[in-house]
Amino acid sequence: MPEGHTIHRLAEDCRRLLAGWQVRVSSPQGKFADSAALLDRAVLDGADAHGKHLFLGFEQAGWVHIHLGLIGKVTFDGTVSDTVRLRIQGGRRGEHTLDLRGPAACELITEPEKQAIHARLGPDPLRPGEDPEPAWARISRSRVPVAALLMDQKVLAGVGNVYRAEVLFRHGVDPFLPGRDLTRPVWDAMWADLVELMRAGVRANRIDTVRPEHEPEAMGRPPRQDDHGGEVYVYRRAAMPCLVCGTEVRTQTLAARNLFWCPTCQPPAT
């Protein structure tokens, strides 16, 4: 499932390529045909993202709410296909095409319905001026492992399996530590780190979390080869040596996803 930086990058792309222009909207697959007909020839006048939710604004017609889920994908190549749920064509000369395939959600909603989605999501490190206090309030009262809380979109929006594993490693936090035992200074540092890491993810369109001294060139090691891309400390590195201490990276299922951590760099609290 795409993490928050991908959705914010898509919102930026939509604003850059399509916003401000009258667009053609269709549903080659047919499942969004009725709503597409209402939006066809309207102006796409905005794009917003909150966590893993993308919103495309259409004048007075409302917002298209998109959640990619596990298999959803957005492309801008205009490839002809009858599997496209939503197609938006526009730009100065109509030269840009957005195609949405396989989303978990694609629906036309009103402004109040959009606000209701925001209300049930936790703070998003990528939304300007976002207040992390509601996330801390929930984490600091919980007996649930912090690694599970970071994946709960009601607690913190946009953080997925990669960012949760990496930010816990970068701050030496045992993933099984109950949320209420996490200290405030560590939480503040983690939030600030997520803001910087995820912003970098939007710019690069990939996740990189290793510090300069652990880059391939600095360590004399080959670059990471993985369809996830990006240089990481523990994510998908089970049974491989930790880049910092050499201990074998471990994995275990937590919150229905594979967790990765280094037992030496992230020791249990005493």
Side-chain angles (χ1 to χ4, degrees), residues 44-207:
L44 193 158
D45 60 358
D48 190 16
H50 189 161
K52 301 180 181 184
H53 299 257
L54 175 66
F55 305 91
L56 304 179
F58 288 85
E59 298 181 314
Q60 302 303 311
W63 296 84
V64 175
H65 168 229
I66 297 169
H67 192 292
L68 295 180
L70 291 174
I71 63 171
K73 185 176 183 181
V74 171
T75 60
F76 288 91
D77 57 17
T79 303
V80 176
S81 172
D82 60 4
T83 64
V84 173
R85 180 78 57 86
L86 168 66
R87 171 165 288 169
I88 303 174
Q89 296 171 289
R92 183 181 296 274
R93 296 175 299 277
E95 69 272 32
H96 301 299
T97 299
L98 176 153
D99 283 339
L100 170 67
R101 295 174 173 85
C106 176
E107 57 183 347
L108 182 60
I109 62 174
T110 63
E111 176 66 26
E113 289 172 326
K114 178 177 183 285
Q115 292 307 316
I117 294 172
H118 289 300
R120 66 175 183 254
L121 294 172
D124 178 345
L126 286 171
R127 287 178 70 82
E130 196 82 319
D131 182 7
E133 195 63 30
W136 169 247
R138 299 187 71 157
I139 290 170
S140 63
R141 297 193 303 264
S142 179
R143 293 183 173 88
V144 174
V146 66
L149 292 168
L150 292 180
M151 290 281 284
D152 186 341
Q153 299 298 296
K154 298 187 298 294
V155 175
L156 194 62
V159 173
N161 207 19
V162 186
Y163 281 119
R164 71 116 173 228
E166 294 298 302
V167 77
L168 289 171
F169 176 88
R170 284 169 61 93
H171 294 272
V173 176
D174 172 18
F176 303 100
L177 181 75
R180 65 180 185 178
D181 293 337
L182 186 71
T183 68
R184 182 60 189 258
V186 172
W187 160 248
D188 289 341
M190 287 173 59
W191 170 265
D193 205 19
L194 283 168
V195 170
E196 292 304 314
L197 288 174
M198 295 179 75
R199 284 178 179 170
V202 173
R203 292 192 299 269
N205 203 24
R206 59 181 253 173
I207 299 176

Side-chain angles (χ1 to χ4, degrees), residues 11 14 26 119 223:
C14 289
S26 61

